[in-house]
Amino acid sequence: MGVRALAFASFFAAAACGSSDAREGGVCARDAAAALARGEVRIERIGGSTSATSAARGLVRAEARTGTLARLGLTLDEHLAIAWGLASDELDVAAALEPGVFDVCARPDDARTATAEAMIRAALERRLGVEVRHGKRTGPVLALRLRARGLVPTPVEARDAAAASDRVARAGAFRVRAAPISELVAFLAPMSPLPVVDETGLDARYDLDLEWDPSTGARGLRAALADAGFELVRARRTLPRWTARAAR
């Protein structure tokens, strides 16, 4: 996620964004449903870095009776991405955000969690001075393609849930049964510094088995992909992107 270094002094001076002890946590971490007034949102700084967080990092708490929603122990760019339902690599943050780890929580008037989601999105934009918008960006990608003279995966029929659950996705192994190619792309994406796009043209379901020595890194993974009939090729593409830019 690209973040340009811009001066963004003291934007967290607002009382609603007060700091709290990194070990005990603030209102969001304790009992947001009881402590927040209806229609209230809080953004609380709880530590200077991710190392300051507890085991609650990334924890989501939703209170069904009041609709209160709390997300704990995340950086501001992570909060932004999650609030818009995006993976971290799908959002470009073109404004400097205060470093550190934050809890965010909201209690809606109408006891609906969906309203709390909307409140959090609006509060993040307002208090961080950004606007999150959908757009496009042209840049480098890794294109997953079929090798010119490689094996072509054979389509298979969809299977019952038990067979489809035979799935392995870890360093050194990837195995799926009757799965779309999008599952392979989703497995590769977190390991790549560039977006991974599917250019295989395969639109059915497939059994895929990849194994490699994790100590060989990207070289081993590329060899496993080649054995399965695939390759990753660097290219430039225009892709839909979400961008958080300084508000005008």
Side-chain angles (χ1 to χ4, degrees), residues 144-147 150-156 179-185 197-208 225 228-231:
L144 180 68
R145 299 174 181 171
L146 293 174
R147 297 185 68 205
L151 298 173
V152 177
T154 302
V156 299
I181 295 299
S182 59
E183 289 207 20
L184 176 57
V185 173
V197 297
D198 177 15
E199 294 188 355
T200 63
L202 301 176
D203 57 5
R205 291 178 174 270
Y206 306 88
D207 290 345
L208 300 175
L225 285 169
F230 300 100
E231 62 181 355

Side-chain angles (χ1 to χ4, degrees), residues 20 25 47 72 101-102 115 131 133 135 140 144 153-154 197 204 208 222 233:
S20 55
L72 310 179
V101 179
F102 298 79
T115 303
E131 293 179 344
R133 297 291 181 265
L144 180 68
T154 302
V197 297
L208 300 175
R222 285 181 178 273
V233 179

